[in-house]
Amino acid sequence: MSIHVGDMLPHGTFQVMGEEGPETVDVTEFFSGKSILMFAVPGAFTPTCSASHLPGFVVHYDALKEKGLDDIVCLSVNDIFVMNAWGIANNAEHLIMAADGLAEFTCSMGLELDISAAKMGIRSRRYAMLVSNGIVQQLWLDEPGEYKISSAEYVLSQL
């Protein structure tokens, strides 16, 4: 069952790259008292994710922050070293590049996508969500294989 608007994010963790290496982030603590836009992609360095999804949030970062967001998080089922390299390669230094390496947090939200047929395994569905104090306020969930309503441009038009 997938997470919905009004639901509290499940307990879990993801990783970010800190100054001294990988750091584990507690979801409950991280989202507490903040307004955060989190978007997820099926995979770092993949065609649509690299050509459109991530770059849109890089380009529109300032406009999104002007809507009162504390942080913008890019989540993917990749390891933290890949997420860090992908962020550097795309000038995404202002975004929080979050790794859900084993898809545990993604699966706990019911937002996983099995693309084993493409030899990519379990990944995240493409989405964006506005989370306030740990509660999902808005969810823009694309259908598998689509890239429409989770784009930075669409999300910005809805905030």
Side-chain angles (χ1 to χ4, degrees), residues 28-64:
T28 303
E29 290 177 18
F30 180 79
F31 285 89
S32 179
K34 298 179 190 170
S35 179
I36 296 176
L37 180 67
M38 180 169 63
F39 69 99
V41 298
F45 292 107
T46 57
T48 302
C49 304
S50 290
S52 301
H53 209 171
L54 177 60
F57 285 95
V58 171
V59 168
H60 296 290
Y61 177 84
D62 290 332
L64 288 162

Coordinates of all heavy atoms in Angstrom, one line a residue, residues 28-64:
T28 N 12.6 10.5 10.8 CA 11.7 11.2 11.7 C 12.4 12.5 12.2 O 11.7 13.6 12.2 CB 11.3 10.3 12.9 OG1 10.7 9.1 12.4 CG2 10.4 11.0 13.9
E29 N 13.6 12.4 12.6 CA 14.3 13.6 13.1 C 14.5 14.6 11.9 O 14.4 15.8 12.2 CB 15.7 13.2 13.6 CG 15.6 12.4 14.9 CD 17.0 12.0 15.4 OE1 18.0 12.5 15.0 OE2 17.0 11.1 16.3
F30 N 14.9 14.2 10.8 CA 15.2 15.1 9.7 C 14.0 15.9 9.2 O 14.2 17.1 9.0 CB 15.7 14.2 8.5 CG 16.1 15.1 7.3 CD1 17.3 15.8 7.2 CD2 15.2 15.2 6.2 CE1 17.6 16.6 6.1 CE2 15.5 16.0 5.1 CZ 16.7 16.7 5.1
F31 N 12.9 15.3 9.2 CA 11.7 16.0 8.7 C 10.9 16.7 9.8 O 10.0 17.5 9.5 CB 10.7 15.0 8.0 CG 11.2 14.6 6.6 CD1 12.0 13.5 6.5 CD2 10.8 15.3 5.5 CE1 12.4 13.1 5.2 CE2 11.2 14.9 4.2 CZ 12.0 13.8 4.1
S32 N 11.3 16.5 11.0 CA 10.6 17.2 12.2 C 10.8 18.7 12.1 O 11.9 19.2 12.0 CB 11.2 16.6 13.5 OG 10.6 17.2 14.6
G33 N 9.6 19.4 12.2 CA 9.6 20.8 12.2 C 10.0 21.5 11.0 O 10.3 22.7 11.0
K34 N 10.1 20.8 9.9 CA 10.5 21.4 8.6 C 9.5 21.2 7.5 O 8.7 20.3 7.6 CB 11.8 20.8 8.1 CG 13.0 21.0 9.1 CD 14.2 20.3 8.5 CE 15.4 20.2 9.4 NZ 16.4 19.3 8.9
S35 N 9.6 22.1 6.5 CA 8.8 21.9 5.2 C 9.9 21.5 4.2 O 10.7 22.3 3.8 CB 8.2 23.2 4.9 OG 7.4 23.1 3.7
I36 N 9.7 20.3 3.7 CA 10.7 19.7 2.8 C 10.0 19.2 1.5 O 9.0 18.5 1.6 CB 11.5 18.6 3.5 CG1 12.3 19.2 4.7 CG2 12.4 17.9 2.5 CD1 13.0 18.2 5.5
L37 N 10.6 19.5 0.4 CA 10.2 18.9 -0.9 C 11.2 17.7 -1.1 O 12.4 18.0 -1.2 CB 10.3 19.9 -2.0 CG 9.8 19.4 -3.3 CD1 8.3 19.0 -3.3 CD2 10.1 20.4 -4.4
M38 N 10.7 16.5 -1.3 CA 11.5 15.4 -1.6 C 11.0 14.8 -2.9 O 9.8 14.7 -3.1 CB 11.4 14.3 -0.5 CG 12.2 13.1 -0.8 SD 12.4 11.9 0.5 CE 10.7 11.4 0.8
F39 N 11.9 14.6 -3.8 CA 11.6 14.0 -5.1 C 12.5 12.8 -5.2 O 13.6 12.7 -4.7 CB 11.7 15.0 -6.3 CG 13.1 15.4 -6.7 CD1 13.8 14.8 -7.7 CD2 13.8 16.4 -6.0 CE1 15.0 15.1 -8.1 CE2 15.0 16.8 -6.3 CZ 15.7 16.2 -7.4
A40 N 11.9 11.8 -5.9 CA 12.7 10.5 -6.1 C 12.7 10.2 -7.6 O 11.8 10.4 -8.3 CB 12.0 9.4 -5.3
V41 N 13.8 9.5 -7.9 CA 14.0 9.1 -9.3 C 14.4 7.6 -9.3 O 14.9 7.0 -8.3 CB 15.2 9.8 -9.9 CG1 14.9 11.3 -10.0 CG2 16.5 9.6 -9.1
P42 N 14.1 6.9 -10.4 CA 14.4 5.5 -10.4 C 15.9 5.2 -10.4 O 16.3 4.1 -9.9 CB 13.9 5.0 -11.8 CG 12.7 6.0 -12.0 CD 13.2 7.3 -11.5
G43 N 16.8 6.1 -10.9 CA 18.2 5.8 -10.8 C 19.0 7.0 -11.2 O 18.8 7.7 -12.2
A44 N 20.1 7.2 -10.4 CA 21.1 8.2 -10.8 C 21.8 7.8 -12.1 O 21.9 6.7 -12.4 CB 22.1 8.3 -9.7
F45 N 22.1 8.8 -12.9 CA 22.8 8.7 -14.2 C 22.0 8.0 -15.2 O 22.5 7.6 -16.2 CB 24.2 8.0 -14.0 CG 25.2 8.8 -13.2 CD1 25.5 8.5 -11.9 CD2 25.8 9.9 -13.8 CE1 26.5 9.3 -11.2 CE2 26.7 10.7 -13.2 CZ 27.1 10.4 -11.9
T46 N 20.7 7.8 -15.0 CA 19.8 7.2 -16.0 C 19.3 8.3 -16.9 O 19.3 9.5 -16.5 CB 18.7 6.4 -15.4 OG1 17.9 7.3 -14.5 CG2 19.2 5.2 -14.6
P47 N 18.8 8.0 -18.1 CA 18.5 9.1 -19.1 C 17.6 10.2 -18.7 O 17.9 11.3 -18.7 CB 18.0 8.3 -20.3 CG 18.7 6.9 -20.2 CD 18.7 6.7 -18.7
T48 N 16.3 9.8 -18.3 CA 15.3 10.9 -18.0 C 15.7 11.5 -16.7 O 15.6 12.8 -16.5 CB 13.9 10.3 -17.9 OG1 13.6 9.7 -19.1 CG2 12.9 11.3 -17.5
C49 N 16.2 10.8 -15.7 CA 16.6 11.4 -14.4 C 17.7 12.4 -14.6 O 17.7 13.4 -13.9 CB 17.0 10.2 -13.5 SG 15.8 9.0 -13.2
S50 N 18.7 12.1 -15.4 CA 19.8 13.0 -15.6 C 19.6 14.1 -16.6 O 20.1 15.2 -16.4 CB 21.0 12.2 -16.1 OG 21.5 11.3 -15.1
A51 N 18.7 13.9 -17.6 CA 18.5 14.9 -18.6 C 17.4 15.9 -18.2 O 17.4 17.0 -18.6 CB 18.1 14.3 -19.9
S52 N 16.5 15.4 -17.4 CA 15.3 16.3 -17.0 C 15.0 16.4 -15.6 O 14.8 17.5 -15.1 CB 14.1 15.7 -17.8 OG 14.3 15.7 -19.1
H53 N 14.8 15.3 -14.9 CA 14.3 15.4 -13.5 C 15.2 16.1 -12.5 O 14.8 17.1 -12.0 CB 14.0 14.0 -13.0 CG 12.9 13.9 -12.0 ND1 12.3 12.8 -11.6 CD2 12.2 14.9 -11.4 CE1 11.3 13.0 -10.7 NE2 11.3 14.3 -10.6
L54 N 16.4 15.7 -12.3 CA 17.3 16.4 -11.4 C 17.6 17.8 -11.9 O 17.6 18.7 -11.1 CB 18.6 15.5 -11.2 CG 19.7 16.2 -10.4 CD1 19.2 16.5 -9.0 CD2 20.9 15.3 -10.3
P55 N 18.0 18.0 -13.2 CA 18.3 19.3 -13.6 C 17.2 20.3 -13.4 O 17.4 21.5 -13.1 CB 18.6 19.2 -15.1 CG 19.1 17.8 -15.3 CD 18.2 17.0 -14.3
G56 N 15.9 19.9 -13.5 CA 14.8 20.8 -13.2 C 14.8 21.4 -11.8 O 14.6 22.5 -11.6
F57 N 15.1 20.5 -10.9 CA 15.2 21.0 -9.5 C 16.4 21.8 -9.2 O 16.4 22.7 -8.3 CB 15.1 19.8 -8.5 CG 13.7 19.2 -8.4 CD1 13.3 18.2 -9.2 CD2 12.8 19.8 -7.6 CE1 12.0 17.7 -9.2 CE2 11.5 19.3 -7.5 CZ 11.1 18.3 -8.3
V58 N 17.5 21.6 -10.0 CA 18.7 22.5 -9.8 C 18.3 23.8 -10.4 O 18.6 24.9 -9.7 CB 19.9 21.8 -10.6 CG1 21.0 22.8 -10.7 CG2 20.3 20.5 -9.9
V59 N 17.7 23.9 -11.6 CA 17.4 25.2 -12.2 C 16.4 26.0 -11.4 O 16.5 27.2 -11.2 CB 16.9 24.9 -13.6 CG1 16.3 26.2 -14.2 CG2 18.0 24.4 -14.5
H60 N 15.4 25.3 -10.8 CA 14.3 26.0 -10.1 C 14.5 26.0 -8.6 O 13.5 26.3 -7.9 CB 13.0 25.3 -10.5 CG 12.6 25.5 -11.9 ND1 12.3 26.7 -12.5 CD2 12.6 24.6 -12.9 CE1 12.0 26.5 -13.8 NE2 12.3 25.2 -14.1
Y61 N 15.7 25.7 -8.1 CA 16.0 25.7 -6.7 C 15.5 26.9 -6.0 O 14.8 26.9 -5.0 CB 17.4 25.4 -6.5 CG 17.8 25.4 -5.0 CD1 17.6 24.2 -4.2 CD2 18.3 26.5 -4.4 CE1 18.0 24.2 -2.9 CE2 18.7 26.5 -3.1 CZ 18.5 25.4 -2.3 OH 18.8 25.4 -1.0
D62 N 16.0 28.1 -6.5 CA 15.7 29.3 -5.8 C 14.2 29.6 -5.8 O 13.6 30.0 -4.7 CB 16.4 30.5 -6.5 CG 17.9 30.5 -6.2 OD1 18.3 29.9 -5.2 OD2 18.7 31.0 -7.1
A63 N 13.5 29.4 -6.9 CA 12.0 29.6 -6.9 C 11.3 28.7 -6.0 O 10.3 29.1 -5.3 CB 11.5 29.5 -8.4
L64 N 11.7 27.5 -5.9 CA 11.1 26.5 -5.0 C 11.4 26.9 -3.5 O 10.5 26.9 -2.7 CB 11.6 25.1 -5.2 CG 11.1 24.4 -6.5 CD1 12.0 23.3 -6.9 CD2 9.7 24.0 -6.3

